[in-house]
Amino acid sequence: MSGFAPQEQRRLLDLQEVDSRTDVLDQQWRAHPAVHAIHELSERSATLEDEKAAAEQAVQDTRGRVRSAEREAEDIRARQAKDQKRLDAGSVSSPRELESLQHEIATLQTKLDDVETIELEAMEVLDSVEATLAGVAASLAAALGDRERHEQE
């Protein structure tokens, strides 16, 4: 530093002191418990966001299965009602056609029972995935709230 004027040497020493102090403050900041907590909560929030997206997709998919089963059940009921109406109207004249129609009605009832079972199972799954979604959403809200509190410290 002998090649510098005393005033320039003093400015360089002041700059070095500011730089050292900045490094110390940066290390203290990184070591602060709140910073560590914020980092952990940010990671937890990211994980929960992914879990929430997966749960939302599961809810959407399951609702689709429930709607599909409901539509199929409605279609079967409509066909069953149409066949029953033909049977009740007495418009079937031959015994063979009568037997075939009765068999069709019985087959439709069996199919309807199966579809309604699938629908009920899908509804149970829907209840479960909606509960999972609610739990994940609550956990995410708590993690975000905790992170916000730590950020304000």
Side-chain angles (χ1 to χ4, degrees), residues 38-52:
I38 290 169
H39 179 69
E40 285 182 357
L41 288 166
S42 293
E43 288 179 356
R44 174 87 174 121
S45 296
T47 300
L48 288 168
E49 287 284 355
D50 292 344
E51 289 178 19
K52 183 179 176 210

Side-chain angles (χ1 to χ4, degrees), residues 72-85 101 104-105 107-108 111:
E72 188 174 352
E74 288 172 13
D75 291 345
I76 292 169
R77 283 187 200 100
R79 287 179 25 216
Q80 200 176 29
K82 182 183 116 202
D83 288 348
Q84 188 64 47
K85 186 176 178 180
L101 190 57
E104 177 67 16
I105 291 170
T107 300
L108 287 171
K111 195 172 187 180

Side-chain angles (χ1 to χ4, degrees), residues 124-144:
E124 289 173 0
V125 170
L126 180 59
D127 287 344
S128 174
V129 294
E130 284 177 336
T132 298
L133 175 58
V136 169
S139 294
L140 177 59
L144 291 173

